[in-house]
Amino acid sequence: MSLLVDLVLVALILMAAVWTVLVRDRRDAVIAFIVLGLLLSLVWMRLYAVDVALTEAAVGGGATGLVLLRACARLLPVEAEGRLPGPGTQIAAGLLSAIAAAGLAAVVLSPPVPYPSLAALAAENIHQVGLGNPVTAVLLAYRSLDTLLEKVVLVLAVIGVWALTPDAFWGGAPGSLKSKHASGALDLLARVLPPFGIVVGIYLVWNGADHPGGTFQGGTVLAAMWLLMMMADLADPPEIRLKRLRRLVVFGPAVFIAAGFAGIFMSGWFLSYPPDYAKPIIVAVEAALALSIAVILGLLVAGPAAEPPKR
Amino acid sequence: MSVVLDAFTVITVTAGLVFFLAGTVGLLRFPDALTRLHALTKADNLGLGLIVLGLLPQCPDITSALKLIAIWVLVQFAGASASQLIAQFVRRNEPGP
Amino acid sequence: MMPAQVAAPDGVLLILALMLPSIGLLAIFVLGHSRPERIALPVLAANLAVALIVALQVGHSGQAATYRLGGWLPPLGITLRADGLSAALIAMAALILFVVAIYARGNFASKAGGSESRQPMVFWTLLLGLSTALNTVFLAQDLFSLFVALELLTFSAVPLVCLEGSRETLRAALRYLLFALAGSVLYLIGVALLYGAYGTLDIASLHQVTRADRATSIALGLMIAGLMAKAALFPLHLWLPPAHAGAPAPASAVLSALVVKAPFFLILRLWFDVAPQPQPVIAGTMLAALGAASILVCSVLALRQARLKLMVAYSTVAQVGYLFLVFPLVMGSEAAVPWASIGWTGGVLQLVSHAFAKASMFLAAGLIAEAMGHDRIDDLGGAAEAVPISIAAFALAGLSLMGLPPAGGFVAKVMLLTAAVVSANWWIAATILAGGLLAAGYVFRVIGRAFADPAGGAPPPKAVARSRELAVLSLAGVALLLGFLPLQPFAYLGIGQGGMP
Amino acid sequence: MSAPTLYGLCAAALVGIGLFGLILHPTPLRKVISFNLVGCGAFLFFGIAARRGAGAGFAGDPIPQALVITGIVVAFAATALAVALILRMLEAGASTVDAKPLPPDDLSP
């Protein structure tokens, strides 16, 4: 019975994936991809990876979908749908992909025995960081360097997107996210939802130390609230020259790096935490990161500046 | 007591699922976007409401119960807003009958 | 497993190598300063100092320097490690970045008192981003951290390509990004499979446990294929020439000299430190065959280019091709360990000397274009009088590409050639010789035109700053100095090799 | 067949379908979407490694789960950068966006 659910889920996912690739219209492809993202977050629930499910739903389906949909809307008048290559290329591409998939399937079907895992090591050491959620322990303690470097990637992504600003608009604000058509429903949603969303976002970050949740999930919910307000024209996209904005972007990574260096003096290693204070330090770092992630995700969706800075 | 509560849960959740099924059938069978939306939102809101109601007795503490109710309220609100937006989009693109 | 809580570990400099450039780029971003080079230059100087100290320490102690992040031991935690090769490469990267930064003050220095402008802010932050990325690629011992490092590299490099903002550069940047992302995701699938097979991503741990089975082969195959796309190995090189030619000269220099070397370095690590021994002969031969194809095809294409920067960019693909000849040469050698073979040493030396030579060449091409107002090779007449030092640097760097004495490229190519002859890989030997001749062809074509008389009616050349010309010459000088190294494996590069902690 | 194996096969199929789209589609936006499909497959491989490695009181090995979270965020940033590039390129007046190699002289210095 339980496997039946999995089978249905896999069938739906494969349908969505094929649809994403084969459908002619670009927007239909994006919608199929968003559906796929939501189905995948169900898969992550079935795999008992609740943290990943939350992230996939929020970032993989939600934020990525939003970026792609906006792109479709703006591409519509300009770009023609491309012409597919001839049947020879198609068959070659199909063969190559099929071989890759078959090879990967063969690996899946012959797992090593016993299956290797670091779960035991992760469990053994988790008391040293005082956390209840092992995924947070990995992200903020065992493998914190990855998380730190990934924050640098996000800042670089913001710079990379801003780099596409035409010179005349440097320092100005990204184009409005507002819909062309005023909508009472959207306006109401954007007025009522943010207070709840902000509470949920903070809750997810706070909760992430011991239960599923964490910086990304919380940060994405906060970003979603900001984007919703921008879409309903209740908030303007900020000018990219604003010092306040830049401080918010850098705040999380800066706190993280500072905590890392403090670790050298307090407990001997960069990014180590003294056992007695590990949890409060980690929660503080996570809170700072969530704020920065919210701003960064919002800026990445908003895109490069599209108007000159105001006086 | 717990048998009664369990029976209550089974009955209301099943009823909720029936509404979901009706909503899905409506989505597939109704002729145009607006009637489909109508079927979907009405049935799903009621369906979710019944499921939440049925699950309430199973909650270990009051916080979980409040979370469940919050989920229902938020889904109601988001669903209503989304269907409004879809309806407006439909109205703009296909001038009404 | 308790984390080893040792006070004041001496590998802390490795942390600085990662964090200094990161802090610098965050500082430029947050301050919104009108003169970002005032932050970037000192940071790159400090980065150079750190890299040199690490390199000296490694040489002095004769042991690899290691640092365990947060005190966590692998496989749970992440290790940074500088062996002889890594230390040499971070020093190389830091030196080239610093000289490029001195040069780039001429392109991207902003006016005092003005407000922040786009190109300087983006260039200097991304240059620091590249520094972080390269240091991480060379030092990290964890395959997933290396994935993040590759992404750092991509996100820093791609916007540099389209800094100018023209349609062609935007298109080149997009194509670069698509290739790089496809490469990353293939690499990532391989990482997932390796974790599934061994439960660790630490290179030293993997070194001891990898088996020659299907999962491992498929994982490594996917990872190497992805890295090949990023290293622009034929036939996956199509993105490189427009991207490297379209970027501003200092960015091109860094992209060609350093950024394409990072994925090759990772292939080297996967091949020698992760793959089960002995590696399959057929795979090594295939990599070398693609390298040979890169050398021949792209050298011919370089000969046929009308624009100087495109010619230099095609030459990058050809010169990177030489690196891939290493694999069958090492397998065919009688040395007990790879790094004691002249094939391996020749490959590493080719990597380093090409980095200096190509950085110098792109910077020289930039100055030539600035002085002449264009970079059409056929109309370069008079360039030797207008920018004599740049032309000299171009010629010196060219020696390295051709493999003529006394350049670093000469020693490298002689080592590769000797290894090819010793292991009876005649086709590789022939390719090396043919590649040298072709390189001579495209370098002398430029030099010959530069000494020709200026065409009538051409606008008079503009002057360029002497300090920038000297920066270019200094890089060519380093490429030349490498030519005085002895023709034998270096003990330094063998320090800490073998993937052992 | 166990659930992780089933989802592993699903991941292999996702990678195949995504690769096909990546090669097939000439337009960059469709390539970016296909890249995301391959990415989803890659993440699922970590997912099955996590589920198969359940133990020590955890329903899944937390290390691969954490890696996926990092990966998803990086993939999103890549998508945002690619989309911004595509839009800017079209604004800059490129009428077509096919990925054919440029003619050799198409680049200004």
Side-chain angles (χ1 to χ4, degrees), chain A residues 128-131 136-137 139-142 205 208-209 215 255-256 259 271-273 277-289, chain C residues 72:
Chain A
Q128 293 188 48
V129 286
L131 299 175
T136 303
L139 284 173
L140 271 299
Y142 307 145
V205 177
T215 47
V255 168
F256 204 168
L271 285 171
S272 68
Y273 311 102
Y277 303 100
K279 187 173 175 182
I281 295 175
I282 288 175
V283 170
V285 168
E286 283 208 278
L289 286 178
Chain C
W72 301 103

PDB file of all heavy atoms in Angstrom, chain A residues 128-131 136-137 139-142 205 208-209 215 255-256 259 271-273 277-289, chain C residues 72:
ATOM      1  N   GLN A 128      27.630  17.927  21.434  1.00  0.00           N
ATOM      2  CA  GLN A 128      28.657  18.976  21.564  1.00  0.00           C
ATOM      3  C   GLN A 128      28.203  20.310  21.023  1.00  0.00           C
ATOM      4  O   GLN A 128      28.770  21.354  21.338  1.00  0.00           O
ATOM      5  CB  GLN A 128      29.918  18.559  20.811  1.00  0.00           C
ATOM      6  CG  GLN A 128      30.592  17.384  21.447  1.00  0.00           C
ATOM      7  CD  GLN A 128      31.910  17.123  20.799  1.00  0.00           C
ATOM      8  OE1 GLN A 128      32.700  18.034  20.614  1.00  0.00           O
ATOM      9  NE2 GLN A 128      32.152  15.893  20.445  1.00  0.00           N
ATOM     10  N   VAL A 129      27.206  20.280  20.114  1.00  0.00           N
ATOM     11  CA  VAL A 129      26.709  21.543  19.604  1.00  0.00           C
ATOM     12  C   VAL A 129      25.334  21.876  20.163  1.00  0.00           C
ATOM     13  O   VAL A 129      24.764  22.904  19.831  1.00  0.00           O
ATOM     14  CB  VAL A 129      26.676  21.554  18.056  1.00  0.00           C
ATOM     15  CG1 VAL A 129      28.078  21.677  17.514  1.00  0.00           C
ATOM     16  CG2 VAL A 129      26.023  20.310  17.512  1.00  0.00           C
ATOM     17  N   GLY A 130      24.816  20.986  21.014  1.00  0.00           N
ATOM     18  CA  GLY A 130      23.603  21.291  21.753  1.00  0.00           C
ATOM     19  C   GLY A 130      22.362  21.431  20.896  1.00  0.00           C
ATOM     20  O   GLY A 130      21.415  22.106  21.270  1.00  0.00           O
ATOM     21  N   LEU A 131      22.358  20.812  19.705  1.00  0.00           N
ATOM     22  CA  LEU A 131      21.209  20.959  18.825  1.00  0.00           C
ATOM     23  C   LEU A 131      20.403  19.664  18.809  1.00  0.00           C
ATOM     24  O   LEU A 131      20.924  18.585  19.074  1.00  0.00           O
ATOM     25  CB  LEU A 131      21.662  21.275  17.394  1.00  0.00           C
ATOM     26  CG  LEU A 131      22.459  22.554  17.205  1.00  0.00           C
ATOM     27  CD1 LEU A 131      22.929  22.663  15.779  1.00  0.00           C
ATOM     28  CD2 LEU A 131      21.621  23.763  17.579  1.00  0.00           C
ATOM     29  N   THR A 136      20.630  20.701  10.930  1.00  0.00           N
ATOM     30  CA  THR A 136      21.191  21.991  11.315  1.00  0.00           C
ATOM     31  C   THR A 136      22.605  21.813  11.855  1.00  0.00           C
ATOM     32  O   THR A 136      23.482  22.639  11.590  1.00  0.00           O
ATOM     33  CB  THR A 136      20.300  22.665  12.375  1.00  0.00           C
ATOM     34  OG1 THR A 136      18.989  22.779  11.833  1.00  0.00           O
ATOM     35  CG2 THR A 136      20.815  24.043  12.726  1.00  0.00           C
ATOM     36  N   ALA A 137      22.837  20.726  12.582  1.00  0.00           N
ATOM     37  CA  ALA A 137      24.188  20.478  13.103  1.00  0.00           C
ATOM     38  C   ALA A 137      25.176  20.329  11.950  1.00  0.00           C
ATOM     39  O   ALA A 137      26.301  20.821  12.016  1.00  0.00           O
ATOM     40  CB  ALA A 137      24.199  19.223  13.978  1.00  0.00           C
ATOM     41  N   LEU A 139      24.817  21.609   8.870  1.00  0.00           N
ATOM     42  CA  LEU A 139      24.945  22.873   8.128  1.00  0.00           C
ATOM     43  C   LEU A 139      25.722  23.923   8.907  1.00  0.00           C
ATOM     44  O   LEU A 139      26.449  24.715   8.330  1.00  0.00           O
ATOM     45  CB  LEU A 139      23.557  23.420   7.787  1.00  0.00           C
ATOM     46  CG  LEU A 139      22.837  22.720   6.643  1.00  0.00           C
ATOM     47  CD1 LEU A 139      21.408  23.234   6.522  1.00  0.00           C
ATOM     48  CD2 LEU A 139      23.566  22.949   5.328  1.00  0.00           C
ATOM     49  N   LEU A 140      25.529  23.955  10.227  1.00  0.00           N
ATOM     50  CA  LEU A 140      26.134  25.040  10.995  1.00  0.00           C
ATOM     51  C   LEU A 140      27.334  24.604  11.803  1.00  0.00           C
ATOM     52  O   LEU A 140      28.027  25.436  12.367  1.00  0.00           O
ATOM     53  CB  LEU A 140      25.090  25.662  11.937  1.00  0.00           C
ATOM     54  CG  LEU A 140      24.237  26.811  11.404  1.00  0.00           C
ATOM     55  CD1 LEU A 140      25.111  27.993  11.018  1.00  0.00           C
ATOM     56  CD2 LEU A 140      23.390  26.411  10.227  1.00  0.00           C
ATOM     57  N   ALA A 141      27.598  23.287  11.908  1.00  0.00           N
ATOM     58  CA  ALA A 141      28.764  22.877  12.687  1.00  0.00           C
ATOM     59  C   ALA A 141      29.687  21.963  11.889  1.00  0.00           C
ATOM     60  O   ALA A 141      30.763  22.376  11.475  1.00  0.00           O
ATOM     61  CB  ALA A 141      28.321  22.195  13.979  1.00  0.00           C
ATOM     62  N   TYR A 142      29.250  20.731  11.630  1.00  0.00           N
ATOM     63  CA  TYR A 142      30.188  19.782  11.013  1.00  0.00           C
ATOM     64  C   TYR A 142      30.707  20.295   9.679  1.00  0.00           C
ATOM     65  O   TYR A 142      31.890  20.179   9.369  1.00  0.00           O
ATOM     66  CB  TYR A 142      29.518  18.423  10.771  1.00  0.00           C
ATOM     67  CG  TYR A 142      28.837  17.806  11.975  1.00  0.00           C
ATOM     68  CD1 TYR A 142      27.682  17.065  11.830  1.00  0.00           C
ATOM     69  CD2 TYR A 142      29.362  17.972  13.248  1.00  0.00           C
ATOM     70  CE1 TYR A 142      27.048  16.489  12.913  1.00  0.00           C
ATOM     71  CE2 TYR A 142      28.734  17.410  14.337  1.00  0.00           C
ATOM     72  CZ  TYR A 142      27.570  16.678  14.166  1.00  0.00           C
ATOM     73  OH  TYR A 142      26.949  16.115  15.241  1.00  0.00           O
ATOM     74  N   VAL A 205      13.046  29.570  11.709  1.00  0.00           N
ATOM     75  CA  VAL A 205      14.464  29.739  12.041  1.00  0.00           C
ATOM     76  C   VAL A 205      14.716  29.285  13.476  1.00  0.00           C
ATOM     77  O   VAL A 205      15.634  28.518  13.767  1.00  0.00           O
ATOM     78  CB  VAL A 205      14.889  31.208  11.862  1.00  0.00           C
ATOM     79  CG1 VAL A 205      16.338  31.382  12.281  1.00  0.00           C
ATOM     80  CG2 VAL A 205      14.701  31.638  10.412  1.00  0.00           C
ATOM     81  N   GLY A 208      14.400  25.641  13.920  1.00  0.00           N
ATOM     82  CA  GLY A 208      15.356  24.842  13.163  1.00  0.00           C
ATOM     83  C   GLY A 208      16.466  24.240  13.991  1.00  0.00           C
ATOM     84  O   GLY A 208      17.095  23.272  13.574  1.00  0.00           O
ATOM     85  N   ALA A 209      16.726  24.804  15.160  1.00  0.00           N
ATOM     86  CA  ALA A 209      17.805  24.261  15.979  1.00  0.00           C
ATOM     87  C   ALA A 209      17.492  22.837  16.427  1.00  0.00           C
ATOM     88  O   ALA A 209      18.371  21.984  16.453  1.00  0.00           O
ATOM     89  CB  ALA A 209      18.045  25.166  17.185  1.00  0.00           C
ATOM     90  N   THR A 215      17.503  28.237   8.561  1.00  0.00           N
ATOM     91  CA  THR A 215      17.713  29.555   7.962  1.00  0.00           C
ATOM     92  C   THR A 215      17.091  29.659   6.581  1.00  0.00           C
ATOM     93  O   THR A 215      16.439  30.650   6.280  1.00  0.00           O
ATOM     94  CB  THR A 215      19.204  29.839   7.829  1.00  0.00           C
ATOM     95  OG1 THR A 215      19.812  28.693   7.263  1.00  0.00           O
ATOM     96  CG2 THR A 215      19.814  30.118   9.157  1.00  0.00           C
ATOM     97  N   VAL A 255      28.405  38.109  10.210  1.00  0.00           N
ATOM     98  CA  VAL A 255      28.259  37.529  11.550  1.00  0.00           C
ATOM     99  C   VAL A 255      28.849  36.114  11.569  1.00  0.00           C
ATOM    100  O   VAL A 255      29.545  35.719  12.514  1.00  0.00           O
ATOM    101  CB  VAL A 255      26.769  37.513  11.971  1.00  0.00           C
ATOM    102  CG1 VAL A 255      26.566  36.656  13.208  1.00  0.00           C
ATOM    103  CG2 VAL A 255      26.287  38.922  12.218  1.00  0.00           C
ATOM    104  N   PHE A 256      28.584  35.367  10.499  1.00  0.00           N
ATOM    105  CA  PHE A 256      29.073  33.992  10.409  1.00  0.00           C
ATOM    106  C   PHE A 256      30.610  33.967  10.435  1.00  0.00           C
ATOM    107  O   PHE A 256      31.235  33.204  11.193  1.00  0.00           O
ATOM    108  CB  PHE A 256      28.559  33.375   9.098  1.00  0.00           C
ATOM    109  CG  PHE A 256      28.473  31.874   9.102  1.00  0.00           C
ATOM    110  CD1 PHE A 256      27.804  31.225   8.077  1.00  0.00           C
ATOM    111  CD2 PHE A 256      29.041  31.100  10.106  1.00  0.00           C
ATOM    112  CE1 PHE A 256      27.707  29.843   8.050  1.00  0.00           C
ATOM    113  CE2 PHE A 256      28.946  29.723  10.091  1.00  0.00           C
ATOM    114  CZ  PHE A 256      28.277  29.101   9.053  1.00  0.00           C
ATOM    115  N   ALA A 259      31.842  34.879  13.841  1.00  0.00           N
ATOM    116  CA  ALA A 259      31.710  33.741  14.763  1.00  0.00           C
ATOM    117  C   ALA A 259      32.814  32.718  14.492  1.00  0.00           C
ATOM    118  O   ALA A 259      33.347  32.102  15.414  1.00  0.00           O
ATOM    119  CB  ALA A 259      30.334  33.091  14.608  1.00  0.00           C
ATOM    120  N   LEU A 271      35.450  28.367  13.130  1.00  0.00           N
ATOM    121  CA  LEU A 271      34.112  27.773  13.033  1.00  0.00           C
ATOM    122  C   LEU A 271      33.846  26.674  14.057  1.00  0.00           C
ATOM    123  O   LEU A 271      32.993  25.824  13.861  1.00  0.00           O
ATOM    124  CB  LEU A 271      33.836  27.239  11.617  1.00  0.00           C
ATOM    125  CG  LEU A 271      33.544  28.304  10.558  1.00  0.00           C
ATOM    126  CD1 LEU A 271      33.502  27.690   9.169  1.00  0.00           C
ATOM    127  CD2 LEU A 271      32.249  29.025  10.841  1.00  0.00           C
ATOM    128  N   SER A 272      34.617  26.685  15.156  1.00  0.00           N
ATOM    129  CA  SER A 272      34.233  25.785  16.253  1.00  0.00           C
ATOM    130  C   SER A 272      33.475  26.610  17.282  1.00  0.00           C
ATOM    131  O   SER A 272      33.564  27.830  17.294  1.00  0.00           O
ATOM    132  CB  SER A 272      35.475  25.162  16.888  1.00  0.00           C
ATOM    133  OG  SER A 272      36.225  26.160  17.555  1.00  0.00           O
ATOM    134  N   TYR A 273      32.688  25.928  18.101  1.00  0.00           N
ATOM    135  CA  TYR A 273      31.913  26.629  19.111  1.00  0.00           C
ATOM    136  C   TYR A 273      32.246  26.032  20.463  1.00  0.00           C
ATOM    137  O   TYR A 273      32.317  24.810  20.591  1.00  0.00           O
ATOM    138  CB  TYR A 273      30.416  26.472  18.847  1.00  0.00           C
ATOM    139  CG  TYR A 273      30.003  26.757  17.423  1.00  0.00           C
ATOM    140  CD1 TYR A 273      29.726  25.724  16.530  1.00  0.00           C
ATOM    141  CD2 TYR A 273      29.881  28.068  16.970  1.00  0.00           C
ATOM    142  CE1 TYR A 273      29.344  25.990  15.229  1.00  0.00           C
ATOM    143  CE2 TYR A 273      29.501  28.336  15.662  1.00  0.00           C
ATOM    144  CZ  TYR A 273      29.233  27.296  14.802  1.00  0.00           C
ATOM    145  OH  TYR A 273      28.864  27.548  13.513  1.00  0.00           O
ATOM    146  N   TYR A 277      28.315  27.248  24.919  1.00  0.00           N
ATOM    147  CA  TYR A 277      27.623  28.349  24.265  1.00  0.00           C
ATOM    148  C   TYR A 277      27.258  28.014  22.827  1.00  0.00           C
ATOM    149  O   TYR A 277      26.830  28.886  22.082  1.00  0.00           O
ATOM    150  CB  TYR A 277      28.477  29.614  24.287  1.00  0.00           C
ATOM    151  CG  TYR A 277      28.871  30.031  25.675  1.00  0.00           C
ATOM    152  CD1 TYR A 277      30.124  29.733  26.190  1.00  0.00           C
ATOM    153  CD2 TYR A 277      27.949  30.697  26.492  1.00  0.00           C
ATOM    154  CE1 TYR A 277      30.475  30.095  27.471  1.00  0.00           C
ATOM    155  CE2 TYR A 277      28.277  31.054  27.780  1.00  0.00           C
ATOM    156  CZ  TYR A 277      29.554  30.747  28.267  1.00  0.00           C
ATOM    157  OH  TYR A 277      29.884  31.099  29.539  1.00  0.00           O
ATOM    158  N   ALA A 278      27.485  26.759  22.430  1.00  0.00           N
ATOM    159  CA  ALA A 278      27.309  26.426  21.017  1.00  0.00           C
ATOM    160  C   ALA A 278      25.922  26.790  20.522  1.00  0.00           C
ATOM    161  O   ALA A 278      25.769  27.468  19.497  1.00  0.00           O
ATOM    162  CB  ALA A 278      27.583  24.939  20.794  1.00  0.00           C
ATOM    163  N   LYS A 279      24.890  26.360  21.258  1.00  0.00           N
ATOM    164  CA  LYS A 279      23.547  26.556  20.738  1.00  0.00           C
ATOM    165  C   LYS A 279      23.193  28.036  20.587  1.00  0.00           C
ATOM    166  O   LYS A 279      22.713  28.440  19.523  1.00  0.00           O
ATOM    167  CB  LYS A 279      22.519  25.836  21.607  1.00  0.00           C
ATOM    168  CG  LYS A 279      21.143  25.892  20.996  1.00  0.00           C
ATOM    169  CD  LYS A 279      20.138  25.051  21.722  1.00  0.00           C
ATOM    170  CE  LYS A 279      18.762  25.279  21.086  1.00  0.00           C
ATOM    171  NZ  LYS A 279      17.724  24.522  21.780  1.00  0.00           N
ATOM    172  N   PRO A 280      23.411  28.870  21.621  1.00  0.00           N
ATOM    173  CA  PRO A 280      23.063  30.293  21.414  1.00  0.00           C
ATOM    174  C   PRO A 280      23.839  30.924  20.257  1.00  0.00           C
ATOM    175  O   PRO A 280      23.263  31.697  19.486  1.00  0.00           O
ATOM    176  CB  PRO A 280      23.409  30.953  22.752  1.00  0.00           C
ATOM    177  CG  PRO A 280      24.035  29.924  23.600  1.00  0.00           C
ATOM    178  CD  PRO A 280      23.761  28.590  23.021  1.00  0.00           C
ATOM    179  N   ILE A 281      25.121  30.564  20.111  1.00  0.00           N
ATOM    180  CA  ILE A 281      25.881  31.148  19.006  1.00  0.00           C
ATOM    181  C   ILE A 281      25.270  30.716  17.677  1.00  0.00           C
ATOM    182  O   ILE A 281      25.045  31.531  16.773  1.00  0.00           O
ATOM    183  CB  ILE A 281      27.359  30.722  19.079  1.00  0.00           C
ATOM    184  CG1 ILE A 281      28.010  31.297  20.340  1.00  0.00           C
ATOM    185  CG2 ILE A 281      28.125  31.196  17.847  1.00  0.00           C
ATOM    186  CD1 ILE A 281      29.435  30.834  20.541  1.00  0.00           C
ATOM    187  N   ILE A 282      24.969  29.416  17.563  1.00  0.00           N
ATOM    188  CA  ILE A 282      24.433  28.916  16.300  1.00  0.00           C
ATOM    189  C   ILE A 282      23.093  29.566  15.983  1.00  0.00           C
ATOM    190  O   ILE A 282      22.835  29.979  14.850  1.00  0.00           O
ATOM    191  CB  ILE A 282      24.312  27.378  16.347  1.00  0.00           C
ATOM    192  CG1 ILE A 282      25.716  26.762  16.289  1.00  0.00           C
ATOM    193  CG2 ILE A 282      23.468  26.853  15.203  1.00  0.00           C
ATOM    194  CD1 ILE A 282      25.756  25.272  16.449  1.00  0.00           C
ATOM    195  N   VAL A 283      22.236  29.685  17.006  1.00  0.00           N
ATOM    196  CA  VAL A 283      20.926  30.298  16.745  1.00  0.00           C
ATOM    197  C   VAL A 283      21.102  31.754  16.323  1.00  0.00           C
ATOM    198  O   VAL A 283      20.427  32.241  15.400  1.00  0.00           O
ATOM    199  CB  VAL A 283      20.021  30.169  17.986  1.00  0.00           C
ATOM    200  CG1 VAL A 283      18.765  30.997  17.822  1.00  0.00           C
ATOM    201  CG2 VAL A 283      19.658  28.709  18.206  1.00  0.00           C
ATOM    202  N   ALA A 284      22.050  32.451  16.946  1.00  0.00           N
ATOM    203  CA  ALA A 284      22.279  33.854  16.567  1.00  0.00           C
ATOM    204  C   ALA A 284      22.771  33.938  15.129  1.00  0.00           C
ATOM    205  O   ALA A 284      22.297  34.772  14.340  1.00  0.00           O
ATOM    206  CB  ALA A 284      23.288  34.488  17.522  1.00  0.00           C
ATOM    207  N   VAL A 285      23.723  33.074  14.779  1.00  0.00           N
ATOM    208  CA  VAL A 285      24.230  33.076  13.399  1.00  0.00           C
ATOM    209  C   VAL A 285      23.097  32.774  12.434  1.00  0.00           C
ATOM    210  O   VAL A 285      22.940  33.438  11.393  1.00  0.00           O
ATOM    211  CB  VAL A 285      25.366  32.040  13.248  1.00  0.00           C
ATOM    212  CG1 VAL A 285      25.705  31.819  11.783  1.00  0.00           C
ATOM    213  CG2 VAL A 285      26.606  32.500  14.001  1.00  0.00           C
ATOM    214  N   GLU A 286      22.263  31.787  12.791  1.00  0.00           N
ATOM    215  CA  GLU A 286      21.160  31.426  11.895  1.00  0.00           C
ATOM    216  C   GLU A 286      20.202  32.586  11.708  1.00  0.00           C
ATOM    217  O   GLU A 286      19.731  32.834  10.589  1.00  0.00           O
ATOM    218  CB  GLU A 286      20.398  30.245  12.474  1.00  0.00           C
ATOM    219  CG  GLU A 286      21.083  28.927  12.290  1.00  0.00           C
ATOM    220  CD  GLU A 286      20.054  27.809  12.226  1.00  0.00           C
ATOM    221  OE1 GLU A 286      19.626  27.371  13.297  1.00  0.00           O
ATOM    222  OE2 GLU A 286      19.674  27.406  11.117  1.00  0.00           O
ATOM    223  N   ALA A 287      19.914  33.297  12.791  1.00  0.00           N
ATOM    224  CA  ALA A 287      18.979  34.416  12.677  1.00  0.00           C
ATOM    225  C   ALA A 287      19.536  35.468  11.729  1.00  0.00           C
ATOM    226  O   ALA A 287      18.838  35.980  10.846  1.00  0.00           O
ATOM    227  CB  ALA A 287      18.719  35.013  14.060  1.00  0.00           C
ATOM    228  N   ALA A 288      20.838  35.782  11.903  1.00  0.00           N
ATOM    229  CA  ALA A 288      21.455  36.781  11.032  1.00  0.00           C
ATOM    230  C   ALA A 288      21.436  36.307   9.586  1.00  0.00           C
ATOM    231  O   ALA A 288      21.119  37.080   8.660  1.00  0.00           O
ATOM    232  CB  ALA A 288      22.885  37.056  11.489  1.00  0.00           C
ATOM    233  N   LEU A 289      21.735  35.034   9.391  1.00  0.00           N
ATOM    234  CA  LEU A 289      21.754  34.495   8.027  1.00  0.00           C
ATOM    235  C   LEU A 289      20.368  34.542   7.394  1.00  0.00           C
ATOM    236  O   LEU A 289      20.222  34.880   6.211  1.00  0.00           O
ATOM    237  CB  LEU A 289      22.259  33.045   8.038  1.00  0.00           C
ATOM    238  CG  LEU A 289      23.753  32.842   8.261  1.00  0.00           C
ATOM    239  CD1 LEU A 289      24.071  31.363   8.296  1.00  0.00           C
ATOM    240  CD2 LEU A 289      24.559  33.518   7.163  1.00  0.00           C
TER     241      LEU A 289
ATOM    242  N   TRP C  72      36.524  19.436  13.524  1.00  0.00           N
ATOM    243  CA  TRP C  72      35.854  18.159  13.218  1.00  0.00           C
ATOM    244  C   TRP C  72      36.731  17.340  12.296  1.00  0.00           C
ATOM    245  O   TRP C  72      37.204  17.818  11.275  1.00  0.00           O
ATOM    246  CB  TRP C  72      34.507  18.413  12.553  1.00  0.00           C
ATOM    247  CG  TRP C  72      33.593  19.221  13.395  1.00  0.00           C
ATOM    248  CD1 TRP C  72      33.312  20.547  13.243  1.00  0.00           C
ATOM    249  CD2 TRP C  72      32.880  18.798  14.542  1.00  0.00           C
ATOM    250  NE1 TRP C  72      32.450  20.961  14.225  1.00  0.00           N
ATOM    251  CE2 TRP C  72      32.169  19.912  15.044  1.00  0.00           C
ATOM    252  CE3 TRP C  72      32.764  17.572  15.215  1.00  0.00           C
ATOM    253  CZ2 TRP C  72      31.354  19.838  16.173  1.00  0.00           C
ATOM    254  CZ3 TRP C  72      31.950  17.502  16.340  1.00  0.00           C
ATOM    255  CH2 TRP C  72      31.256  18.630  16.812  1.00  0.00           C
TER     256      TRP C  72
END
